[in-house]
């Protein structure tokens, strides 16, 4: 059954990025009805992740403008399109930048979350169903971002990119699980898999890296070495179980050598959460030979190329990467929300700032100055 509102255009406020690096402008947009296999969501809370900032700056990424950014959010389903059977108006949901169609070889594999149909595509600004945008201003299309575009009071998302969660979960907290925190947590718990008593280096102590540190703490790692160029991050990181700190700027040799000296040859696991190519290489080279595993999480620039001597691989160092911490968004995210509900996972310490939607550009400033971990953007009531 498709509800009546599912056929209506909604006029609402959205923050539009008209040009790279220019402040977002709150505009009145028209949000078209959800088409087949799509849902329209009323966004209540959204937060800013560094990936939004990269695509807004578009320095190392394909520029797609005008665009509505945003991909960490919590909301309530307003209406559903044809063929949507497992979501209904009123469901509490988290939209996710990567999807799970539940039918392709990846979705059927226990090892992969790289859905063939709904895998992240940062260059696409339209819906996959019909190649069109659901947002417009006076008839001019405004592009989507990673299928979520949550910097809008209403957005249209493919059903495969929507996780239905416990309605008792506070959306102003669990919205951060939509991307960054789950990514960091899963990168450690699902991919790096440190054992009890092991050593783990975390490169980049933003929200993603601190979530990776939280994963290391939950796994029982005994040494968690935080690496960041911003020493201000070290105070905060103590709350997340980071036991030691290394600022690469304090040394005149590569940070991988510093870490090898600190750990008798290298760490057991490392997780890179910076997006910096140099940090990715260091994160790989700082793991112990024989068994060390490095996991890359940061989003690289478009033209980056990873360079290391192949002997590192022959010496049995393993290099891995992950999207969304290897979680399948629809199947696994509800249980990450439950980790918060059961008080295993604390989200409050990640949320350092909050602004009303009208001040969304402040969230960008906080992130660019390195002041915030996560800034929650509260949508109008
Ligand atoms: P953030 O900006 O809050 O944190 C990044 C931190 O890395 C900062 O503290 C910065 O000082 C530090 N840093 C930068 N260059 C460094 C270097 N060379 N050495 C050491 N530290 C360095 O960002 P965030 O929101 O925590 O996101 C981290 C990364 O994860 C970003 O690249 C983001 O795009 C990416 N990300 C990836 C996925 C995925 O699924 N793979 C999902 C979400 C975010
Ligand atoms: Zn799939």
């Amino acid at each position: 059954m498709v509800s009546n509102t599912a056929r209506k255009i909604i006029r609402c406020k959205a923050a539009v990025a008209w040009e790279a690096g220019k402040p977002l402008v709150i505009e009145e947009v028209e949000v078209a009805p959800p088409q087949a296999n799509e849902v329209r969501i009323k966004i209540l809370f959204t937060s800013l992740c560094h990936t939004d900032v990269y695509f807004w700056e578009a320095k190392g990424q394909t520029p797609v403008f005008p665009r509505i950014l945003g991909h960490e959010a919590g909301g309530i389903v307003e209406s559903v399109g044809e063929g949507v059977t497992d979501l209904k108006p009123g469901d509490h949901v988290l939209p996710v930048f990567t999807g799970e169609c539940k039918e392709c070889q990846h979705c059927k594999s226990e090892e992969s979350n790289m859905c063939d149909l709904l895998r992240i595509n940062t260059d696409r600004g339209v819906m996959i169903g019909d190649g069109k945008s659901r947002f417009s201003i006076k008839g001019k299309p405004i592009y989507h971002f990673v299928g979520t575009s949550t910097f809008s009071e209403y957005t249209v998302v493919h059903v495969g990119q929507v996780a239905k969660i416990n309605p008792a979960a506070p959306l102003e907290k669990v919205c951060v699980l939509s991307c960054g925190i789950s990514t960091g947590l899963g990168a450690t718990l699902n991919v790096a898999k440190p054992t009890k008593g092991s050593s783990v280096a975390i490169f980049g102590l933003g929200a993603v890296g601190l979530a990776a540190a939280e994963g290391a703490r939950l796994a029982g790692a005994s040494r968690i070495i935080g690496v960041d160029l911003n020493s201000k991050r070290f105070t905060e990181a103590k709350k997340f179980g980071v036991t030691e700190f290394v600022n690469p700027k304090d040394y005149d040799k590569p940070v991988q050598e510093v870490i090898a000296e600190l750990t008798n040859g290298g760490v057991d696991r490392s997780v890179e959460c910076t997006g910096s190519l140099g940090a990715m290489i260091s994160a790989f080279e700082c793991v112990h030979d024989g068994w060390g595993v490095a996991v890359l999480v940061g989003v690289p620039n478009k033209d980056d190329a990873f360079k290391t001597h192949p002997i590192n691989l022959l010496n049995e160092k393993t290099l891995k990467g992950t999207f969304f911490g290897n979680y399948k968004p629809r199947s696994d995210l509800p249980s990450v929300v439950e980790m918060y509900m059961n008080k295993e996972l604390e989200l409050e310490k990640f949320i350092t700032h909050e602004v009303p939607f009208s001040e969304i550009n402040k969230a960008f400033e906080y992130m660019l100055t390195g002041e915030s971990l996560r800034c929650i953007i509260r949508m109008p009531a």
Side-chain angles (χ1 to χ4, degrees):
M1 260 279 286
V2 175
S3 68
N4 266 337
T5 55
R7 307 194 197 287
K8 291 191 183 135
I9 288 173
I10 289 182
R11 282 188 184 76
C12 69
K13 296 272 193 298
V16 178
W18 287 102
E19 276 180 73
K22 295 274 164 64
L24 307 187
V25 183
I26 309 262
E27 305 275 8
E28 181 159 294
V29 297
E30 294 197 331
V31 185
Q35 301 301 306
N37 301 316
E38 295 174 358
V39 295
R40 192 160 53 187
I41 303 169
K42 179 170 170 53
I43 299 294
L44 298 184
F45 300 93
T46 180
S47 56
L48 184 66
C49 166
H50 222 136
T51 312
D52 297 304
V53 179
Y54 294 148
F55 286 86
W56 168 72
E57 288 179 324
K59 284 181 187 157
Q61 315 292 352
T62 310
V64 180
F65 295 98
R67 194 173 212 185
I68 297 174
L69 296 161
H71 65 285
E72 276 191 6
I76 297 179
V77 174
E78 176 270 337
S79 61
V80 303
E82 296 293 341
V84 175
T85 52
D86 55 354
L87 285 172
K88 57 181 186 318
D91 282 344
H92 286 219
V93 294
L94 304 181
V96 184
F97 64 93
T98 186
E100 179 184 357
C101 75
K102 296 196 174 180
E103 278 163 27
C104 72
Q105 53 177 343
H106 289 273
C107 289
K108 286 185 173 153
S109 156
E110 278 187 16
E111 291 180 320
S112 171
N113 68 343
M114 301 291 293
C115 175
D116 272 333
L117 183 70
L118 299 165
R119 183 178 303 189
I120 186 174
N121 181 332
T122 54
D123 293 351
R124 185 174 55 221
V126 292
M127 299 305 288
I128 55 162
D130 60 3
K132 289 185 186 151
S133 171
R134 301 286 171 264
F135 297 108
S136 60
I137 296 179
K138 296 185 183 110
K140 182 179 160 47
I142 309 292
Y143 295 112
H144 293 248
F145 176 60
V146 295
T148 54
S149 293
T150 60
F151 296 163
S152 177
E153 289 181 89
Y154 287 87
T155 188
V156 176
V157 181
H158 191 285
V159 66
Q161 289 182 245
V162 182
K164 180 175 165 177
I165 62 159
N166 183 345
L171 289 171
E172 70 268 38
K173 302 287 185 333
V174 298
C175 64
V176 298
L177 290 174
S178 213
C179 169
I181 313 301
S182 300
T183 296
L185 189 72
T188 306
L189 292 179
N190 302 335
V191 190
K193 297 183 183 165
T195 53
K196 212 166 182 309
S198 59
S199 58
V200 182
I202 308 287
F203 284 71
L205 300 173
V208 177
L210 292 173
E214 190 75 352
R217 191 183 60 78
L218 290 173
S222 59
R223 292 182 74 180
I224 306 175
I225 304 172
V227 184
D228 203 298
L229 298 172
N230 176 0
S231 296
K232 277 197 237 156
R233 287 280 162 99
F234 295 166
T235 324
E236 193 124 46
K238 287 188 188 139
K239 290 189 224 155
F240 295 81
V242 177
T243 57
E244 294 152 72
F245 301 99
V246 175
N247 187 334
K249 285 191 204 155
D250 294 343
Y251 301 88
D252 50 16
K253 56 183 158 196
V255 66
Q256 50 271 48
E257 286 177 27
V258 177
I259 292 174
E261 283 166 18
L262 282 173
T263 54
N264 195 22
V267 280
D268 301 314
R269 299 289 185 266
S270 75
V271 186
E272 175 280 329
C273 309
T274 68
S276 146
L277 180 63
M280 293 179 194
I281 295 168
S282 302
F284 172 56
E285 294 183 354
C286 81
V287 299
H288 208 287
D289 52 10
W291 60 78
V293 179
V295 179
L296 307 186
V297 177
V299 175
N301 281 337
K302 203 164 157 254
D303 300 322
D304 280 347
F306 188 96
K307 184 167 175 266
T308 190
H309 198 284
I311 197 72
N312 288 316
L313 292 151
L314 303 187
N315 286 345
E316 300 175 5
K317 297 184 182 196
T318 301
L319 178 63
K320 292 184 168 191
T322 177
F323 260 118
F324 199 48
N326 275 32
Y327 287 119
K328 288 185 195 281
R330 294 160 90 186
S331 305
D332 300 335
L333 200 49
S335 62
V336 184
V337 169
E338 291 313 309
M339 281 174 80
Y340 168 75
M341 297 303 276
N342 300 334
K343 301 192 170 24
E344 278 167 75
L345 180 65
E346 208 187 298
L347 295 178
E348 286 75 5
K349 59 189 177 189
F350 289 98
I351 300 168
T352 53
H353 295 70
E354 187 185 311
V355 293
F357 187 44
S358 57
E359 292 173 25
I360 188 168
N361 288 302
K362 274 195 187 163
F364 282 70
E365 280 167 36
Y366 296 143
M367 180 150 278
L368 287 167
T369 53
E371 222 179 295
S372 63
L373 285 176
R374 276 299 178 268
C375 178
I376 302 290
I377 299 151
R378 183 180 286 272
M379 304 307 281

